[in-house]
Amino acid sequence: MTIRNWVKFFLRAMAIGGGITAIVGLIVRWNFFFGYIQAGEIWQFLGAFLWMIFLGFTMSVVAQMGFFAYLTVHQFGVNMFRTLTLWNWVQMLIIVVVLFDLVVFRFKLSQASTGQTFLYIFLLLTLVAVSAVTAYFKAQWTKKHALISALFFMIVITTLEWLPALMVQSGNRDEWVTILLFPLLAVNAYQLLILPKYNRQSDIDKAELDKRRIERKKVKLQKSAKAK
């Protein structure tokens, strides 16, 4: 990928992360934001809203780091297990283990907290549904064997990026767990589906650049021949 296309890719992912976090944060923490509006503290409201956007930018950077790290892990996995089929089976096993770990160890649900149980079931279904839809379109737009790898990335890598929020035991844990999931899903889906477009554009840009270099070289040679 060329630097220009990488910058576009990076900035658009940042914009998605910031926008999604701001919208979801405003909805989930509406009581907090409405308190500022009710008190007429507009600058405090704007400051808190901008902080949400900045948090989204941070989540976008985390998601992008996770994505490029996964590209390396995926290539390592294919080389290690020799065949893509075997690596896909390993990825499916890891997906099951991660989902089991989420439900049993990370969510820490109890019968006494019905509302919290419904919230985390909703978040789990959102994670799986968005991952499945993204993986489906990835397989349709590229190659069918990309389905399992895309599902692995969307579920396992997103969960790893989400883990710091899940490990918090105090404060408004449920709110932040909810808020941070959505920008991670959105940015990861964007990266997975759009990266091939930027790679193709980079190939076109490189070909055009090489063509211009050859033309400039021809012009220089013609000028040199005339001078002689």
Side-chain angles (χ1 to χ4, degrees):
M1 186 186 296
T2 61
I3 294 177
R4 184 176 67 176
N5 285 310
W6 179 82
V7 170
K8 288 181 181 178
F9 180 79
F10 176 80
L11 292 178
R12 287 175 184 173
M14 288 270 286
I16 290 171
I20 294 294
T21 305
I23 293 169
V24 175
L26 192 61
I27 295 170
V28 173
R29 305 202 73 198
W30 174 246
N31 291 335
F32 171 78
F33 284 102
F34 185 68
Y36 285 134
I37 296 174
Q38 210 170 25
E41 298 175 343
I42 302 302
W43 288 111
Q44 285 82 349
F45 169 82
L46 289 175
F49 189 72
L50 289 173
W51 188 85
M52 279 288 178
I53 295 175
F54 178 77
L55 177 63
F57 291 162
T58 305
M59 290 300 101
S60 173
V61 172
V62 170
Q64 292 184 64
M65 291 172 61
F67 180 59
F68 288 104
Y70 169 70
L71 295 178
T72 303
V73 170
H74 176 70
Q75 191 59 48
F76 176 79
V78 172
N79 293 335
M80 180 178 177
F81 293 99
R82 299 302 177 93
T83 65
L84 183 60
T85 301
L86 182 56
W87 172 231
N88 281 341
W89 279 107
V90 172
Q91 289 182 103
M92 290 174 65
L93 177 62
I94 296 173
I95 289 171
V96 172
V97 171
V98 167
L99 291 176
F100 177 82
D101 178 77
L102 269 179
V103 174
V104 176
F105 298 108
R106 305 303 168 190
F107 289 172
K108 296 182 179 178
L109 305 177
S110 64
Q111 295 180 350
S113 55
T114 305
Q116 188 185 48
T117 299
F118 282 128
L119 171 64
Y120 282 94
I121 289 175
F122 166 74
L123 295 178
L124 179 64
L125 292 177
T126 300
L127 172 65
V128 174
V130 172
S131 300
V133 171
T134 303
Y136 171 80
F137 281 108
K138 179 66 175 179
Q140 290 293 312
W141 294 351
T142 54
K143 298 176 181 178
K144 290 184 179 180
H145 62 70
L147 179 69
I148 301 301
S149 296
L151 199 62
F152 177 89
F153 170 71
M154 288 299 299
I155 291 178
V156 175
I157 302 302
T158 299
T159 300
L160 289 175
E161 295 162 353
W162 192 29
L163 200 57
L166 291 168
M167 294 177 68
V168 174
Q169 299 298 325
S170 59
N172 301 321
R173 176 182 184 266
D174 296 343
E175 291 183 358
W176 293 112
V177 165
T178 304
I179 291 169
L180 297 183
L181 173 63
F182 289 91
L184 291 173
L185 281 174
V187 174
N188 281 338
Y190 168 79
Q191 294 181 112
L192 198 61
L193 296 176
I194 301 300
L195 182 64
K197 173 187 173 182
Y198 283 97
N199 286 335
R200 288 193 297 269
Q201 186 59 49
S202 295
D203 291 338
I204 293 171
D205 292 343
K206 288 176 183 177
E208 291 178 350
L209 181 61
D210 291 340
K211 184 179 178 181
R212 288 196 296 268
R213 284 176 178 171
I214 292 172
E215 289 176 352
R216 286 197 297 266
K217 188 175 181 179
K218 285 181 178 179
V219 171
K220 287 181 180 179
L221 289 173
Q222 288 173 355
K223 289 180 179 179
S224 177
K226 288 180 181 179
K228 293 180 179 178

